[in-house]
Amino acid sequence: MKPAKLNLVSLMDIFTILVFFLLLNSGSNEILKVNDVVLPDSTAEERPKETTVVTITEDDILVDGRPVATINEVIMSNGLIDGLMEELRFQATKRTELTEREKTLGRAVTILGDQEIPYELLKRVMLTCAKADYRDLSMAVSRVSGNSGA
């Protein structure tokens, strides 16, 4: 009777794929992707937490990278931003169980806006987020050294 041989080729293939998968997906979400948005500077030390991200570009308002409204539509309308409201409510239905903090403060959202956007636009985005129960608002900023000498 011949002793059994262990064929490791298939096992090595699986481990190789697993290593690549883990390497690609192990990055933390400390850095938010900012394409054409110049963020205001800040000396804040606290890292951003993982939240729904609303990005305000020159042309569009995006939620987690999906366009929900154009800036022209928003400027022409008054009050809440309908496309943003619908998307935030849809995002809320994907995760209905709230933590104690979310029950108190509302759902968390991070707003990325160019430092040159009009305050009126930012105010309407913040109001729409608040009305959709995303009241725990954070503003994304570029971190600068605290010892600027100013």
Side-chain angles (χ1 to χ4, degrees):
M1 209 161 133
K2 226 172 162 183
K5 291 183 180 179
L6 187 58
N7 185 357
L8 295 178
V9 174
S10 301
L11 190 59
M12 292 303 291
D13 289 343
I14 291 172
F15 280 126
T16 304
I17 292 169
L18 183 63
V19 166
F20 282 119
F21 174 78
L22 292 175
L23 285 174
L24 291 174
N25 291 307
S26 67
S28 64
N29 289 334
E30 293 176 3
I31 298 174
L32 297 169
K33 291 183 181 178
V34 180
N35 294 335
D36 297 326
V37 177
V38 179
L39 297 174
D41 294 330
S42 171
T43 58
E45 296 294 324
E46 191 176 325
R47 299 267 186 215
K49 49 190 188 277
E50 188 176 338
T51 64
T52 300
V53 177
V54 175
T55 307
I56 307 168
T57 67
E58 285 182 18
D59 303 316
D60 297 301
I61 296 176
L62 305 112
V63 176
D64 290 338
R66 270 186 66 207
V68 295
T70 66
I71 298 301
N72 289 337
E73 290 173 354
V74 173
I75 291 172
M76 295 298 182
S77 67
N78 290 321
L80 300 177
I81 303 166
D82 295 332
L84 178 59
M85 178 72 85
E86 289 171 21
E87 182 62 25
L88 291 175
R89 286 187 174 152
F90 172 72
Q91 294 284 334
T93 62
K94 290 180 7 182
R95 192 176 64 83
T96 56
E97 205 170 296
L98 300 177
T99 64
E100 289 302 316
R101 178 184 170 95
E102 288 173 334
K103 288 177 184 173
T104 306
L105 299 175
R107 296 175 189 276
V109 64
T110 301
I111 300 173
L112 273 76
D114 192 277
Q115 61 186 2
E116 299 296 324
I117 63 169
Y119 177 70
E120 181 63 32
L121 176 61
L122 179 62
K123 187 170 81 170
R124 288 180 59 198
V125 168
M126 291 170 36
L127 178 64
T128 303
C129 290
K131 292 290 185 184
D133 200 30
Y134 283 80
R135 297 184 319 271
D136 187 4
L137 299 171
S138 299
M139 301 295 288
V141 293
S142 294
R143 186 170 171 258
V144 294
S145 164
N147 297 333
S148 62

